[in-house]
Amino acid sequence: MEYERLMSDVEAGHFLGGLHPKTVQRMARRGDLPAYRVGRYWRYRASELDQWLRVQSQHPNASVSLTKGRK
């Protein structure tokens, strides 16, 4: 098993094309992005965000919820 580093809100925002970190946080809270809650912070895997982007580009009107760690 290979370790994949988790990204912060800032890094995920850059990965997603320049989204503001607060927008990324809001999308994670809503379940719109694949994310993990670590304490009070949201963290993201690049591989899951990449998969999410691919699904969104194929089906822009589809609602995808891959969020983990929601309360």
Side-chain angles (χ1 to χ4, degrees):
M1 187 165 95
E2 193 170 317
Y3 172 76
E4 182 177 359
R5 188 178 80 76
L6 297 175
M7 298 189 303
S8 69
D9 302 312
V10 173
E11 294 168 315
H14 286 297
F15 185 88
L16 294 170
L19 292 178
H20 193 278
K22 293 290 183 183
T23 301
V24 174
Q25 291 171 8
R26 184 173 49 251
M27 292 175 76
R29 247 189 339 270
R30 290 183 188 163
D32 295 337
L33 281 179
Y36 297 88
R37 188 79 189 251
V38 180
R40 62 182 234 184
Y41 302 104
W42 288 99
R43 294 295 180 245
Y44 315 85
R45 285 193 172 131
S47 61
E48 291 178 351
L49 292 178
D50 182 60
Q51 178 185 6
W52 180 84
L53 282 172
R54 291 174 191 272
V55 170
Q56 293 302 308
S57 68
Q58 293 172 3
H59 308 286
N61 295 326
S63 175
V64 176
S65 178
L66 301 175
T67 302
K68 297 174 178 64
R70 283 193 74 174
K71 288 187 171 185

